[in-house]
Amino acid sequence: MKIKSKLRLGIGFLFAMIILLSLVAAVFVNLLKNDTKNVLADNYKTLEYGRNMLLALDEMPGKPAAWKNFEAYLKQQSGNITEPGEAFATKKVADQYAALKTDPGNAFRYKVIKKEISELMRINMAAIQQKSNMALQTVQVAYTWIAITGTICVLLALTLLINLPGTIANPIGELTRSIREIAAKNYSQRVHFNSQDEFGELAGSFNTMAEKLEEYNNSNLSRILIEKKRIEALIGNMHEPVIGLDENKTILFANGEAAKIIGIALQDMTGKSAIDLSKHNDLMRSLISNLGTDGAESIPELSPLKICADNKESFFEKEIVDITITPTGEKKKLFIGQVIILKNITPFKELDAAKTNFIATVSHELKTPIASVKMSLQLLENAVTGPLNEQQKQLVESIKEDGDRLLKITGELLNLSQVETGNIQLNITQTNVKDIVDYALNAVKISAEQKQIRLCVDKEENLPAIKADTEKTAWVLINFLTNAIRYTQQEGMIKVSVRDHNERVQFSVTDEGKGIDSKYRTKVFERYFQVPGSQKTGTGLGLAISKEFIEAQGGTIGVETEIGMGSTFFFDLVKA
Ligand code: ADP
């Protein structure tokens, strides 16, 4: 039965019982009232008339008014006949009174009338007695009925009082507990109300909901598991070694390639701390050497890693990807780990080496014929082979210029191939700064004069000696000066400064040229790079070789420049 119907029935029945109780009480009170009223009306008045008639009889012999009174009371009595036998007794009184009237001196008559009146009173007193008994009986019945209906009411009220709160509150309590369990992701929670009421329906709906949530949760879990397996398969099939770490540097995943080059079995790696493994594994140590800690960004590795695996030397470029997430509902990013990807660059390295070798061979092979061309030109200039006319002289001059350029290019290419193969032969000695500066100024003097450019030297007195390869350092300074002359206007000025700078000596060349866009400031030191839109007369190798030369000597190189404001190229070297 529905709760609504149960409540209606229970409270309705209680209500009906209260009405019944009130009706029973009212009926019995009414009955009692009627009984009392009848006694008064029917019998008490007769007793009154009887008593008054007896008093009148006593006064009759001497008082004529007593006759009148007697007759009046007798008449009233005749109109108040209520009990069986009362009419007969009244008639007897009336008969005897009529006889007394005809014979007023008869004392016997008085006695008979008194006796008849007494009989009349007795009949009424008996009636009073009987009616009193009847009233008592009514009271008894009233008691019984009121007690029965009252008890039913009390029992009903008690039943409702005891059962009703529980019937409603218990299922609500169980439902609340179950909802809390579901909220705590315990989707196997069910409610068990077997009743057919609203709570039964509610339990049915709740259980269906919980079942669907459980099904949804399980299907999500299996989908996530499939996705996990897919990602694992993808990583496993990658040809490049991949290692995933959490924020505490614990290895979360790695692929077979990674295990192969590191030399640790996959199952011995996953779940282990990379820091612990790195204590016994050099490669692992270099892999995690520049990882950012506590969310700090990892420092990119510049030089490739040389790894020997399978009796083969391979080169890998290490890429570290810092993984951050933004948790749902939050704004702050959370660092959750890193992925290390090793890119196998061995084929590129091999190609690069082949290219370097080729350049080295070609530039070396070109040097001899160019030198002989230059020598032949010199013979022509000296008129050993006969005098030259003006036109021929001009042609020889232009061939000489091209020859010089070719020699410069082959020299640069040779330098570069030496740098790339790691074969720079440094001849570091204690060198005088003045010698380097003078040598470089001498080398560029003619080209500066051709453009009427002033070369100013700002050199501190008593500069200390430096530890450097004189030839290569001068080469760098010449390269700076050649570039400066190329990008400076006719009649411009170039400043060469040498300063004592902490533990180092800094050389700088400042020009009034067009300057370099800030985005190319580091790129100009890369091989073959030329600023877009600049004169394409060079090879784009000069500054790259300069950087290699200076860094090989333990120095630093750089440029301060702004577009339209000229440039200052500088390098510093350690004091001797
Ligand atoms: P290149 O042989 O082409 O001069 P460099 O490596 O010496 O090669 O220079 C690289 C590029 O840097 C040049 O192509 C040029 O665009 C730019 N550059 C070098 N020096 C200067 C300078 N003093 N002023 C403006 N641009 C310069």
Side-chain angles (χ1 to χ4, degrees):
M1 200 197 283
K2 304 252 164 173
I3 294 182
K4 209 161 145 190
S5 315
K6 268 188 203 165
L7 279 173
R8 269 193 191 145
L9 201 74
I11 296 170
F13 197 54
L14 184 66
F15 186 66
M17 287 314 290
I18 291 167
I19 290 176
L20 185 69
L21 183 67
S22 315
L23 279 176
V24 167
V27 166
F28 281 107
V29 166
N30 205 37
L31 277 176
L32 275 174
K33 189 186 111 190
N34 284 346
D35 282 356
T36 332
K37 204 165 100 187
N38 286 347
V39 169
L40 264 180
D42 300 350
N43 308 104
Y44 180 76
K45 278 184 183 163
T46 303
L47 288 179
E48 180 100 23
Y49 301 151
R51 192 175 73 90
N52 288 334
M53 278 193 285
L54 285 174
L55 285 172
L57 266 181
D58 287 342
E59 289 171 356
M60 254 178 207
K63 214 173 167 189
W67 293 93
K68 270 190 183 165
N69 283 345
F70 190 91
E71 276 170 35
Y73 289 125
L74 184 61
K75 199 178 164 200
Q76 279 178 340
Q77 169 54 31
S78 304
N80 188 30
I81 307 292
T82 53
E83 306 302 327
E86 195 179 349
F88 181 67
T90 310
K91 192 174 174 290
K92 270 191 171 171
V93 173
D95 289 349
Q96 289 300 327
Y97 177 69
L100 184 70
K101 256 179 140 178
T102 51
D103 186 11
N106 191 343
F108 176 69
R109 288 263 176 241
Y110 284 104
K111 273 188 184 171
V112 173
I113 290 171
K114 278 185 180 172
K115 198 180 142 231
E116 291 304 332
I117 289 172
S118 297
E119 175 59 18
L120 188 67
M121 286 171 80
R122 188 200 61 79
I123 289 170
N124 275 283
M125 276 165 71
I128 285 173
Q129 182 66 46
Q130 194 204 350
K131 281 178 185 171
S132 166
N133 287 344
M134 267 173 64
L136 269 175
Q137 248 178 359
T138 310
V139 169
Q140 280 299 335
V141 174
Y143 268 148
T144 314
W145 277 109
I146 289 172
I148 290 169
T149 41
T151 312
I152 293 171
C153 279
V154 167
L155 285 176
L156 212 61
L158 263 176
T159 316
L160 286 177
L161 190 73
I162 293 164
N163 291 331
L164 199 60
T167 322
I168 295 169
N170 292 352
I172 290 177
E174 193 178 334
L175 203 65
T176 313
R177 272 193 300 282
S178 302
I179 289 170
R180 280 203 194 112
E181 285 290 313
I182 293 277
K185 294 195 177 147
N186 178 10
Y187 299 120
S188 58
Q189 181 68 30
R190 300 283 182 278
V191 284
H192 306 283
F193 308 150
N194 296 323
S195 53
Q196 298 295 311
D197 55 17
E198 287 91 336
F199 283 120
E201 281 172 23
L202 190 64
S205 309
F206 179 89
N207 289 344
T208 315
M209 179 197 77
E211 214 168 294
K212 290 212 164 145
L213 276 174
E214 195 174 13
E215 202 179 278
Y216 177 72
N217 187 46
N218 288 345
S219 72
N220 263 3
L221 201 69
S222 64
R223 212 170 40 231
I224 289 166
L225 280 175
I226 290 171
E227 288 305 319
K228 187 175 173 270
K229 285 222 163 1
R230 200 200 302 274
I231 291 167
E232 276 172 2
L234 274 174
I235 293 169
N237 283 307
M238 272 170 82
H239 292 301
E240 283 160 349
V242 180
I243 304 168
L245 305 170
D246 72 2
E247 66 276 25
N248 302 316
K249 310 267 178 295
T250 305
I251 298 175
L252 297 175
F253 59 82
N255 61 2
E257 287 295 319
K260 202 160 84 184
I261 64 154
I262 294 171
I264 305 175
L266 209 54
Q267 60 270 24
D268 296 335
M269 252 194 326
T270 30
K272 303 275 160 56
S273 160
I275 297 166
D276 290 347
L277 290 177
S278 72
K279 286 177 189 155
H280 313 286
N281 189 297
D282 291 345
L283 182 58
M284 184 60 94
R285 190 162 44 247
S286 57
L287 282 182
I288 63 163
S289 62
N290 48 355
L291 293 187
T293 37
D294 296 331
E297 267 189 34
S298 305
I299 311 146
E301 181 92 46
L302 296 173
S303 52
L305 285 170
K306 194 158 122 189
I307 297 165
C308 288
D310 285 347
N311 297 326
K312 213 174 87 193
E313 200 175 65
S314 304
F315 290 89
F316 288 92
E317 203 174 80
K318 185 169 87 179
E319 194 185 334
I320 303 165
V321 185
D322 293 320
I323 313 289
T324 52
I325 54 159
T326 315
T328 320
E330 286 181 30
K331 289 207 173 91
K332 215 175 142 210
K333 283 194 171 177
L334 195 71
F335 171 77
I336 57 157
Q338 283 129 335
V339 175
I340 304 172
I341 306 164
L342 294 176
K343 281 188 206 151
N344 193 344
I345 52 161
T346 320
F348 301 106
K349 268 271 174 195
E350 282 164 2
L351 275 177
D352 201 37
K355 180 212 74 187
T356 310
N357 284 338
F358 175 74
I359 290 174
T361 320
V362 169
S363 47
H364 188 262
E365 291 302 317
L366 280 176
K367 259 189 139 179
T368 327
I370 294 169
S372 78
V373 168
K374 271 193 83 175
M375 225 170 71
S376 308
L377 282 172
Q378 225 159 11
L379 289 175
L380 279 174
E381 256 185 340
N382 294 345
V384 179
T385 50
L388 298 175
N389 62 28
E390 223 20 66
Q391 222 174 353
Q392 284 166 332
K393 269 187 192 161
Q394 271 177 14
L395 281 170
V396 166
E397 192 56 38
S398 115
I399 295 170
K400 206 178 139 201
E401 270 173 26
D402 287 344
D404 284 343
R405 241 170 68 75
L406 267 176
L407 209 59
K408 183 179 173 263
I409 292 170
T410 45
E412 278 184 359
L413 286 172
L414 209 57
N415 277 336
L416 178 79
S417 55
Q418 274 181 4
V419 163
E420 285 187 349
T421 47
N423 292 338
I424 325 175
Q425 299 293 325
L426 288 176
N427 181 21
I428 296 185
T429 50
Q430 188 167 326
T431 315
N432 196 341
V433 173
K434 189 176 175 296
D435 294 346
I436 297 174
V437 177
D438 288 348
Y439 182 82
L441 287 174
N442 247 337
V444 298
K445 209 167 116 196
I446 297 169
S447 38
E449 274 168 7
Q450 274 171 358
K451 281 180 92 175
Q452 291 159 335
I453 292 171
R454 265 192 312 132
L455 292 171
C456 301
V457 181
D458 170 17
K459 191 159 62 67
E460 280 177 20
E461 288 301 317
N462 304 324
L463 277 170
I466 52 165
K467 265 199 225 161
D469 180 319
T470 320
E471 204 185 307
K472 295 204 165 48
T473 312
W475 191 96
V476 175
L477 201 57
I478 293 169
N479 191 55
F480 279 6
L481 284 165
T482 324
N483 281 344
I485 292 167
R486 192 184 305 160
Y487 296 106
T488 302
Q489 302 284 331
Q490 289 272 347
E491 298 173 17
M493 193 190 79
I494 294 169
K495 196 169 102 182
V496 180
S497 323
V498 190
R499 308 198 166 278
D500 192 335
H501 196 76
N502 299 333
E503 284 305 295
R504 288 159 178 266
V505 173
Q506 192 183 63
F507 295 75
S508 63
V509 174
T510 307
D511 63 51
E512 296 169 337
K514 58 179 184 166
I516 301 168
D517 195 335
S518 58
K519 62 182 171 196
Y520 302 126
R521 221 174 280 171
T522 49
K523 284 204 138 240
V524 289
F525 292 100
E526 284 175 17
R527 282 165 215 169
Y528 308 109
F529 181 81
Q530 291 181 303
V531 174
S534 65
Q535 301 170 28
K536 294 278 185 271
T537 43
T539 51
L541 285 172
L543 290 176
I545 296 168
S546 303
K547 187 169 184 272
E548 297 283 352
F549 279 176
I550 296 300
E551 284 178 358
Q553 295 179 68
T556 51
I557 192 166
V559 61
E560 276 165 14
T561 176
E562 212 138 310
I563 204 128
M565 304 291 285
S567 325
T568 301
F569 280 87
F570 61 85
F571 66 85
D572 57 30
L573 289 168
V574 280
K575 288 179 193 168

